[in-house]
Amino acid sequence: MNKAINTIHLVLRYKWYDMIASGEKTEEYRNIQTWKNRFGDNIKYVTFHRGYSAVTMTYRIKSVSVGIGKTAWGALEDKEVLIIKLGDRI
């Protein structure tokens, strides 16, 4: 399997990137309308970019679902979002 074609790249603000890197934040949120079609069955990994720097980290994607995220982790209050649950860091 070619990991490059099975990976989606997401740019994060430093705060969210650092929370994921520390293990505190275990899921990432995205707007449903903008992102739902980009997460097909072939997407297995997510590479996060710390802002627009060269600093990155990659995780396996455990699951992608629609639901209400945690506002402390960046989700809007009472608004459904795409929830990307993170697996192991690669």
Side-chain angles (χ1 to χ4, degrees):
M1 176 183 337
N2 184 344
K3 191 173 79 156
I5 61 171
N6 295 313
T7 303
I8 194 160
H9 293 260
L10 301 176
V11 175
L12 299 178
R13 291 182 179 183
Y14 287 12
K15 176 182 179 175
W16 307 129
Y17 183 97
D18 294 344
M19 286 175 73
I20 290 172
S22 73
E24 178 182 353
K25 184 178 181 203
T26 58
E27 52 192 39
E28 172 60 13
Y29 310 119
R30 294 289 152 155
N31 178 288
I32 296 168
Q33 284 71 29
T34 305
W35 291 93
K36 71 178 175 180
N37 292 331
R38 298 181 192 188
F39 282 92
D41 291 337
N42 63 323
I43 301 298
K44 306 290 184 211
Y45 307 96
V46 58
T47 295
F48 294 113
H49 297 261
R50 191 172 191 257
Y52 288 94
S53 72
V55 178
T56 65
M57 61 185 169
T58 301
Y59 284 83
R60 287 191 199 315
I61 294 175
K62 223 186 246 188
S63 66
V64 178
S65 61
V66 173
I68 304 293
K70 298 178 182 182
T71 55
W73 288 357
L76 298 175
E77 192 168 337
D78 297 326
K79 181 170 171 60
E80 284 194 330
V81 292
L82 202 62
I83 301 172
I84 307 156
K85 292 203 183 263
L86 305 176
D88 297 329
R89 186 172 179 176
I90 300 183

